[in-house]
Structure formats: structure tokens, C-alpha cells
Amino acid sequence: MHLPCPLQIPFSSPSLTSMASPLLQNRASMDSVFTFSFFLILSLCFCRSSGYSATAFACDAGSNPAVVGFGFCNGSLGFKERVGDLVKRLTLPEKIGFLINDAGNVSRLGIPKYEWWSEALHGVSYVGPGTKYSNVVPSSTSFPQVILTAASFNASLFEAIGKVVSTEARAMYNVGLAGLTYWSPNVNIFRDPRWGRGQETPGEDPLLSSKYAAGYVRGLQQRDDGDPDRLKVAACCKHYTAYDLDNWKGTDRYHFNAVVTPQDLEDTFQPPFKSCVIDGNVASVMCSYNQVNGKPTCADPDLLAGVIRGQWKLNGYIVSDCDSVDVLYNSQHYTKSPEEAAAKTILAGLDLDCGNFLGKHTEAAVKAGLVNEAAIDKAVSNNFQTLMRLGFFDGNPSKQLYGKLGPKDVCTPEHQELAREAARQGIVLLKNTPKSLPLSASAIKSLAVIGPNANVTKTMIGNYEGIPCKYTTPLQGLSAVVSTTYQPGCINVACSSAQLDEAKKIAASADATVLVVGSDQSIEAESRDRVDLNLPGMQSVLITEVAKASKGPVILIIMTGGGMDITFAKNNDKITSILWVGFPGEAGGAAIADVIFGSFNPCGRLPMTWYPQSYVEKVPMTNMNMRPDPTNGYPGRTYRFYTGETVYSFGDGLSYSDYKHHLVKAPKLVSIPLEEGHICRSSNCQSLDVVQEHCQNLGLDVHLRVKNVGQRSGSHTVFLYSSPPSMHNSPQKYLLGFEKVSLGAGGETVVRFKVDVCKDLSVADEVGSRKVLLGLHVLHVGTVKHSLNVRI
């Protein structure tokens, strides 16, 4: 797709070499050729030195007048008509070229190559061949890893970050450095604490994950002109579905069959994807490597054509995870031939293959009668319509809405400040002995900064990263406020040995000590699940020994994606404060300093349960069941079902202020209208099917007064939970809604929740059907509880 200026042919192209060489040899006798050659060399030198790369654009009548007569280039026609015109002009091999991420060009129609694979998990990323950096745009804003942003529980922040990322993506597209289709966000449920990719997700709760999914997608996709049919960039929700194991004790994602009950599928694994499509109007969904109940997700017509496109009405394309089609044939042996694999995936509803399997085997599948050309037309039409909505077929983007964006719009001060603000809002204060934090910058004359993550850069941005605008490490952030001394304590997070003497020495003489420990991508990452929940190596020894030697308060900072069993530190009185900072992004060190020294009042809450090590010793990662099983002692998973001990619980998080809640308004009774003759009028029903006629306008209002009774202004997340009647293996409690409020010292406000009875008070039954449970539902916010009777 991206071709260099101004000749629009690759520098390494043999055609360029063969054209230039004879011209240069004869330039003395040919003035016109000399002029051309001089211009050619000058152009190449400029392009190489500047890093700029001009781009060929489809339907660009200015550079290719022949496209004027093509219907697919006619912007006055509807997308469907334009797509139909384009598909009719293509041969079967050309169509197949548009079934793969490295889509081929069709020069006779003026269509350049297009690379579909770009990533934008928490900023524009260099992962994937569709995006690169140069000296024109050497970096982009790197926000915190998703798990920390989710800890903010701030839906407006999710969307604001998406908006910044899409602006920077468009700016890079305009100078030939990026695509328009981004395979983000990852909205899988963080089911097991050992999962290496949990850091990429919004956590363990289906509602939070759904709100994050829809918010980030809207930020990426929605245009400033409000046109709902067009896209700023195209997002993609992944990995569909029940994907949350990469490589654990010999079981990997390429061979794993996730055995999932219909109940768990409906109320745990599917909601974020459903919200992506229905609430976020996402342009794409990516199917995963794993099988679900014996079928590869990318070859399951029920999951793809049936649910995503049929029930949820996806307006966009379905793409495979990279080489998933190859995996289901070569690793899972799901089909007998590659042609059958190609046919099954296309017929299941797959539109685009990340990889080249469909490029190699689809034509043979058509010739063998396994799939017809109409199915190919349908798939490429979904792909083309997405590109149409992005303006790909509208010529040079400089004449379009975002055409004026460029390098000046990447890494702006406002974008970098938002990265810092996102980290501040996500940081979770887990422990704070009275009078410990915040530290006083004027009282602290010396601060000891210790630990293997105390001065890291790349660790802070996690995976699926780009090149950040700049880094502020924890040490740099703290050193900007007070005088510091530094010892790493361990050479890396593996911490096979600890340099205790040097660390203890600076802790013993400092007014306060900050320990920054945790993990990095060598411990938890894609294709790398953990086998335990302990801090790596000798980190716990380093923490305990330094705390024992410290003269002043000890602040322990855990920089990880997943939870750790830090019970020893929680119970150690010498450790006065504990913060979890996730992987906090490019400005992580500045945000940490803001919290520690009180210029920001912490307000993050844990988006996942922190289990003790004993939990993973008895629970295999391969067991997908969310609900406990008393017959075999299986304890269940996440705060909704697990009743055992935790190190810290979902939603935990302290502040430098205290907040009080008071119920202002909530009904005590809700009656569900039933038509005459309904079976439940004569029978003792415990639940009702969720159907449209029962649910029309059936809602209730819950209003709460929230007051900041502390001495500092701050932000606070109000969680509204429900504990439903105990039937159909319902959750012990689940999140109905959350709202983030900002209050000055002594300030108060009223938070209003609108509860949709059929959507919010229903649960999934054993076969995956939604039911409204009749009886007593207990609503609770903090210590406030309210009983609500639902009846017919």
C-alpha cells in the first residue's frame, strides 16, 4: 500500500534499478534523460533522508484519471452499490487476494496494496506490518496497559484514550506510516490470574469489560462529523471467544479445547463481544486459536454467522487470529484437507485470514466444489465495505475529514498529559497505614528508591506497544520531587540473587523508602502464562530485608499485569503502604510520584481478584468453569462466584479521602406485567424468560447521595451491585453499574443509576437463556443495602 515519493515504486524494486541504470549511463548525450535522472536521484535522496513515504490511494482521480468511470469510486453512490460494482470487476484470483491481511493490488483498477494488520491496544503499535515509525513520526503516545486503565472505572476516559489513539493513527496514515484497520481492543475475560495476556484486558468482570469495549471502540471509530456510517479508524474486538490460556504446563492455545457451559458462555465470555458489536458498533471481530466445545472458533458457523452476524448484526468483517486457519488444519487436524479448511471457515462466516492460508487454498476449494464463488463475494464484500466506510476508496485523504492531520498531531502535550492522567486514575492504593501516604515533599530530605522495576522504561508499556513519546521512570518521577538514592536490589525481575547490603544501607539512612518490584514480559506475556502467583525469585526477600532495615515509612509498589500473592507484605507492619501500578505507560513514573506525594488523590480500584498461591495450587488453568462445584471442592472463579480467601478483592482500593453513601431513591417492589393466560399466572414460577413483551419500558431508578468526608478533593467510583435470589446457579453478587464522580473536600453529589429490569436483573440459566429471577434482589453500594422484590 505504501509507496515512496514521488515515483510510487519501491526503492528496492528491480524495475527502478533497470530504469535508472541505463538512463544514468547515457545521461551525457541526452539532456532530457539527464534531467529525469537528476530529479530521480534528488527525489530518492530526499525521501530517504526525510523518512517520508508518499502513498498511492485508491480512486485518486488527481493522479489516475482512469478511475473516474468506476462505480466503486463514485462517492455519490451508497456503499452497497459501490461494493457490488467493485466485486463484479474482479476475477476469482483477485477476489482471493482480498481474503488475506496482505491484500494484493489491482493495478488495472487503480487499487494499491493494503495491509490490514495494525494494532492499537493502548496506543499506536509497531506490532503488525501495517504500522511503522520513521524520522517523520518517530514515536506515538503510549498509554497505560489496558488492565490499569480499566482500574480507573472511568468510561469517559476509555473513550478519550481511543479518540487520541485514532487521531494519531490517522496522522500516521496520512504520511504513509500506518493503516486504517486496528485489531484492538482485547476484551477477553481475565478468568485465571496466571494468564500472561490478562494485562491486555479490562479485567474479570463482564460489565466493566463491556463498558471498556464499547467506550474504547467508540473513541477509535466515531468521527467528529457524527456520520454513523463512516469510520475514523476501524476497531476489532478480540479474541472471540472463551480465549484465556496461552501456554500453561504443556497446554497451548493452538491445541486447547475450551469446554464451556452454555451458562458461562452467556453470562461471562460473550458479553464484552456483544457490547462491542451492539453498543460500540465495532467494525470487526477476531476469532481465536482455541476450540470451544470441540470446534475451532474460526470454523464455527453458530458462533460466527449465527451469533456475531445473525443475532448481533455486525456491520463489518470477521478476521482470524493470525494463522488460525492454518492452525485448525495443521495443528488441530480439524479437516482432512487444506481446501476443506478454507471452505469451512469461509462458510462459517470468516471474511479475512490473517495469514496466507486462504490465499493458497481457496481457489482449489472452489474448483473442488467445497465452496462457491458467491461465498467469496460475500466475504470480500464485507471487507470492501469496511474500507469504503474508512474512505479508502475516496481518493487522496488530504481532501477528507482527517486529511490535514500529520506529524504535528502525534505526541502532542495534551496527548502526553492524558497518558499521565490515565495512569494516575488507574493506580490502586491497597494499603495505607495512617499518616503514611501521602509523603510531604518538604519533610522528606532523602528518599531511597529500590527494586528491579524502579528505573525501568520498556517494562512500563507492556506488550502490543509502540515507541513512546518519552519515558518517565519511577526513579525519574520521584527524583523530580525530592533528593533520591537508588539501588536496583536485583539485576532484573527474575531476581535470582539480591544485592541486599547496598539496598539496606540506603534504606537505613533515608527518610522514606520506595520499593518498586513486580514482573515484566519475561514473566507474564503472550505465549507465557505463569505457574504461580509469587513475586519472582528473591524479590520477597529483598522487600522484607529492606523493610526491616528502613528508618522511615516503606512504600511498596507492585508493577505487574496480574495479581500477586503479597500476603507477607500486606501483613508486615514495617511496610506502611502498598500501591499496584499495573504497567503504567510512558508517564508511569510521573504518575507514581503524583500519587505518593499527594498532588493526586488515588482513586483506582482493582479490576480483578488477587488470589493466594494456594488457589492456583488446586485449580487447573484448563478448567473453564466459572461456578464452584461442591462435589469436588472446585472453588469457582472471580468475585461473582469465588467465596474463598483473597489477598485483595475485586473493587478494592483506598483513597486519601473517605466517602459516604446514602440511598435517596429506590423502589421496594417491581411488578412484571404478564399477558392473560401466561403459565406463570396459574403456576408458582421462580423465574421468567426475558422476552420483549415483558420488558418494554420496565426500568427503575436508584439514586444515591455520595459525600466526600475527607480533607482532600478526589475522585470516587460508586459501585452498584446486585445479589439475586439463589437459583439457576446465579452469582453471589455481580456489578450492575458504576459511576466515577469528582468531589471537593466536603462536597457531595447525587449519582443516578437507571436499572433495566430485564437486562440488568436477569441471569443466565443452565442452558444459556436469560431469566428474570422472581423474589428478593439485594442492591448494595458500599455498606448501604436495599431489598428489591421482583414479582409478577
Side-chain angles (χ1 to χ4, degrees):
M1 174 178 177
H2 306 304
L3 305 171
C5 61
L7 299 174
Q8 300 186 356
I9 42 182
F11 293 127
S12 58
S13 167
S15 62
L16 177 63
T17 308
S18 61
M19 176 169 48
S21 182
L23 290 174
L24 292 175
Q25 290 168 8
N26 298 300
R27 67 181 185 271
S29 59
M30 296 177 63
D31 290 344
S32 60
V33 172
F34 174 80
T35 302
F36 169 81
S37 303
F38 178 79
F39 175 71
L40 172 65
I41 295 167
L42 189 65
S43 299
L44 294 180
C45 290
F46 169 76
C47 293
R48 282 171 169 158
S49 64
S50 69
Y52 179 77
S53 170
T55 303
F57 300 107
C59 300
D60 188 1
S63 62
N64 184 4
V67 303
V68 172
F70 297 148
F72 67 87
C73 291
N74 185 348
S76 68
L77 301 178
F79 292 140
K80 189 174 181 181
E81 194 174 348
R82 294 175 69 187
V83 169
D85 177 80
L86 173 54
V87 172
K88 280 190 294 188
R89 295 175 185 273
L90 298 174
T91 65
L92 177 61
E94 286 171 341
K95 292 172 186 174
I96 291 169
F98 290 101
L99 291 175
I100 59 174
N101 65 287
D102 184 19
N105 68 308
V106 183
S107 55
R108 65 186 177 84
L109 298 178
I111 302 174
K113 284 179 68 64
Y114 180 70
E115 176 54 66
W116 286 81
W117 181 5
S118 291
E119 303 276 357
L121 182 69
H122 52 105
V124 177
S125 169
Y126 51 59
V127 176
T131 304
K132 55 187 178 292
Y133 294 93
S134 74
N135 57 353
V136 174
V137 181
S139 58
S140 57
T141 309
S142 188
F143 291 92
Q145 185 61 292
V146 175
I147 193 71
L148 188 72
T149 296
S152 73
F153 283 87
N154 186 346
S156 62
L157 178 64
F158 307 157
E159 191 166 331
I161 292 173
K163 190 170 184 179
V164 165
V165 173
S166 58
T167 294
E168 296 197 347
R170 270 283 178 177
M172 293 176 70
Y173 171 75
N174 289 343
V175 294
L177 293 174
L180 294 170
T181 46
Y182 290 83
W183 293 347
S184 305
N186 179 343
V187 298
N188 292 118
I189 293 294
F190 197 172
R191 171 187 63 92
D192 189 289
R194 292 162 288 194
W195 188 31
R197 301 189 75 174
Q199 59 182 291
E200 302 173 29
T201 76
E204 73 179 35
D205 180 66
L207 179 75
L208 172 59
S209 297
S210 296
K211 296 281 190 187
Y212 179 86
Y216 190 64
V217 166
R218 281 193 295 265
L220 288 177
Q221 292 192 166
Q222 283 186 350
R223 288 163 52 104
D224 293 297
D225 62 4
D227 188 338
D229 295 323
R230 290 185 172 268
L231 301 166
K232 189 177 179 187
V233 302
C236 172
C237 289
K238 63 186 186 183
H239 312 78
Y240 181 83
T241 183
Y243 166 75
D244 49 27
L245 178 149
D246 268 60
N247 192 345
W248 180 78
K249 293 188 175 181
T251 300
D252 68 39
R253 59 186 176 171
Y254 307 115
H255 300 88
F256 181 52
N257 175 29
V259 179
V260 183
T261 67
Q263 188 172 32
D264 287 342
L265 197 64
E266 167 64 24
D267 76 358
T268 297
F269 299 110
Q270 294 290 70
F273 293 99
K274 184 177 183 179
S275 187
C276 261
V277 178
I278 293 176
D279 302 323
N281 195 23
V282 76
S284 178
V285 175
M286 176 184 284
C287 52
S288 53
Y289 291 113
N290 57 292
Q291 297 187 353
V292 173
N293 299 328
K295 283 186 182 179
T297 62
C298 293
D300 189 333
D302 294 328
L303 285 175
L304 303 190
V307 174
I308 298 176
R309 204 170 289 287
Q311 293 179 23
W312 300 342
K313 310 299 182 191
L314 172 73
N315 180 16
Y317 69 101
I318 299 174
V319 62
S320 72
D321 204 343
C322 295
D323 295 320
S324 283
V325 187
D326 185 282
V327 164
L328 71 87
Y329 171 65
N330 281 311
S331 299
Q332 298 175 4
H333 310 296
Y334 186 68
T335 63
K336 293 178 181 176
S337 70
E339 295 79 16
E340 187 186 354
K344 274 189 176 291
T345 52
I346 292 168
L347 291 171
L350 187 69
D351 301 308
L352 188 73
D353 175 19
C354 177
N356 197 32
F357 194 92
L358 293 187
K360 290 178 181 175
H361 301 293
T362 300
E363 189 167 3
V366 173
K367 289 176 179 175
L370 298 172
V371 62
N372 60 29
E373 191 167 347
I376 312 302
D377 291 350
K378 187 177 179 182
V380 297
S381 293
N382 290 327
N383 300 338
F384 286 140
Q385 178 145 328
T386 304
L387 291 178
M388 293 274 182
R389 295 174 68 203
L390 286 160
F392 179 82
F393 289 101
D394 292 339
N396 194 315
S398 64
K399 300 168 185 175
Q400 299 175 33
L401 178 61
Y402 296 105
K404 299 296 187 282
L405 295 175
K408 71 182 188 309
D409 302 295
V410 182
C411 284
T412 66
E414 294 80 12
H415 294 180
Q416 293 184 62
E417 179 58 29
L418 185 62
R420 182 172 179 170
E421 176 65 16
R424 283 192 291 239
Q425 288 197 29
I427 289 172
V428 183
L429 179 62
L430 292 170
K431 176 183 178 180
N432 198 25
T433 305
K435 306 283 174 71
S436 175
L437 287 182
L439 297 180
S440 165
S442 58
I444 300 294
K445 303 302 181 188
S446 60
L447 182 70
V449 183
I450 297 167
N453 276 344
N455 199 32
V456 291
T457 52
K458 200 163 184 294
T459 297
M460 295 196 301
I461 59 175
N463 65 359
Y464 284 84
E465 74 282 15
I467 299 173
C469 311
K470 63 181 180 183
Y471 285 111
T472 303
T473 72
L475 177 61
Q476 290 169 336
L478 296 166
S479 299
V481 182
V482 295
S483 176
T484 59
T485 52
Y486 165 65
Q487 284 290 333
C490 311
I491 59 170
N492 54 37
V493 291
C495 200
S496 55
S497 62
Q499 291 78 56
L500 296 175
D501 291 344
E502 298 92 331
K504 288 161 66 175
K505 183 178 178 182
I506 64 168
S509 61
D511 293 332
T513 297
V514 174
L515 279 153
V516 192
V517 300
S519 67
D520 60 18
Q521 300 303 304
S522 71
I523 304 295
E524 48 179 339
E526 184 170 10
S527 299
R528 183 175 290 119
D529 298 327
R530 290 186 285 160
V531 293
D532 64 54
L533 302 182
N534 298 316
L535 287 169
M538 295 186 68
Q539 286 191 33
S540 58
V541 174
L542 173 69
I543 293 165
T544 302
E545 290 299 309
V546 166
K548 193 186 300 181
S550 294
K551 179 177 77 172
V554 177
I555 297 97
L556 175 62
I557 295 175
I558 309 294
M559 187 183 290
T560 60
M564 295 281 182
D565 186 347
I566 54 168
T567 305
F568 75 96
K570 180 181 180 181
N571 295 335
N572 186 337
D573 291 340
K574 285 284 286 179
I575 298 171
T576 51
S577 302
I578 300 176
L579 292 163
W580 174 68
V581 301
F583 295 128
E586 66 175 44
I592 288 167
D594 291 339
V595 170
I596 285 177
F597 287 100
S599 62
F600 187 85
N601 192 346
C603 57
R605 302 290 195 95
L606 285 183
M608 73 295 202
T609 302
W610 285 31
Y611 301 89
Q613 169 61 19
S614 57
Y615 176 86
V616 297
E617 289 170 357
K618 60 189 175 189
V619 176
M621 197 172 171
T622 48
N623 188 329
M624 298 293 292
N625 291 332
M626 299 300 298
R627 289 158 166 83
D629 185 348
T631 64
N632 60 18
Y634 180 71
R637 296 180 179 276
T638 76
Y639 81 94
R640 294 184 301 140
F641 302 106
Y642 173 67
T643 57
E645 285 186 25
T646 63
V647 180
Y648 290 106
S649 299
F650 175 88
D652 277 359
L654 304 171
S655 168
Y656 299 151
S657 297
D658 290 319
Y659 298 87
K660 289 194 173 178
H661 310 99
H662 174 72
L663 186 66
V664 175
K665 177 182 179 181
K668 293 183 177 181
L669 175 68
V670 172
S671 295
I672 300 177
L674 295 180
E675 67 274 16
E676 291 296 329
H678 192 285
I679 189 170
C680 290
R681 285 192 176 273
S682 56
S683 303
N684 185 21
C685 293
Q686 293 186 312
S687 62
L688 289 172
D689 291 327
V690 172
V691 292
Q692 189 62 38
E693 49 266 33
H694 300 156
C695 300
Q696 203 74 37
N697 302 319
L698 195 60
L700 56 95
D701 294 313
V702 177
H703 296 176
L704 293 128
R705 183 176 292 109
V706 184
K707 183 171 185 177
N708 179 352
V709 295
Q711 302 302 307
R712 293 170 175 266
S713 61
S715 294
H716 174 65
T717 300
V718 182
F719 293 111
L720 176 62
Y721 290 100
S722 172
S723 291
S726 184
M727 59 185 83
H728 293 307
N729 288 319
S730 59
Q732 57 180 341
K733 74 171 182 176
Y734 63 94
L735 194 58
L736 275 184
F738 59 87
E739 288 292 337
K740 190 101 174 197
V741 295
S742 295
L743 294 169
E748 63 179 57
T749 190
V750 174
V751 176
R752 296 171 172 84
F753 292 99
K754 281 201 167 294
V755 178
D756 181 319
V757 171
C758 288
K759 180 182 176 185
D760 298 327
L761 296 183
S762 65
V763 301
D765 71 6
E766 291 79 356
V767 296
S769 298
R770 301 299 301 193
K771 303 274 191 181
V772 177
L773 303 184
L774 302 177
L776 210 59
H777 297 247
V778 179
L779 306 180
H780 37 115
V781 175
T783 58
V784 175
K785 293 191 176 182
H786 175 75
S787 294
L788 172 68
N789 192 12
V790 178
R791 69 183 191 189
I792 57 174

